[in-house]
Amino acid sequence: AVAVPARVVVGDRELERAAGMFRAAGDPGRLRLLAQLLAGEQCVTELVQSVGAGFSTVSQQLRTLRSEGLVSTRREGKHVFYSLADGHVVELIRSVLQHAAEV
């Protein structure tokens, strides 16, 4: 059994933000991008090649993930590199993918 705190107090603002993150990550195409980014930072071109989707589709999906705070960007010349936003996102994506593989 997993130890769970007796009571976690969460406000409406936090619940709405978390729901937005789950909505963004809940699309299979966007989740595939998040899973790819578990390997580390990648540019859009690398992501397009690895997930087998079109450039505009991947760009739109990344925009959604960025707006929900799940990915961050770094620009180097003409290239934009994407990575998972922080350790919380890394653990969330790792955990949900592991859980899905076990069920």
Side-chain angles (χ1 to χ4, degrees):
V2 175
V4 178
R7 179 167 164 80
V8 177
V9 178
V10 180
D12 290 344
R13 181 174 181 255
E14 290 83 6
L15 289 171
E16 284 299 321
R17 177 143 186 212
M21 290 175 175
F22 278 116
R23 277 190 299 273
D27 173 80
R30 291 190 294 262
L31 186 56
R32 182 173 285 113
L33 288 170
L34 293 168
Q36 280 297 127
L37 291 171
L38 282 171
E41 181 182 73
Q42 296 179 46
C43 72
V44 177
T45 305
E46 293 170 317
L47 289 167
V48 165
Q49 292 171 350
S50 64
V51 301
F55 186 86
S56 62
T57 299
V58 170
S59 292
Q60 183 179 11
Q61 291 171 332
L62 288 167
R63 190 170 28 258
T64 299
L65 294 170
R66 186 174 183 211
S67 72
E68 290 298 335
L70 296 171
V71 298
S72 56
T73 60
R74 176 180 68 82
R75 183 175 291 279
E76 189 174 298
K78 292 182 178 183
H79 298 282
V80 178
F81 291 88
Y82 285 84
S83 60
L84 297 178
D86 57 34
H88 293 105
V89 177
V90 170
E91 288 307 310
L92 176 66
I93 301 307
R94 246 190 216 134
S95 181
V96 77
L97 293 174
Q98 281 179 326
H99 185 68
E102 293 170 3
V103 175

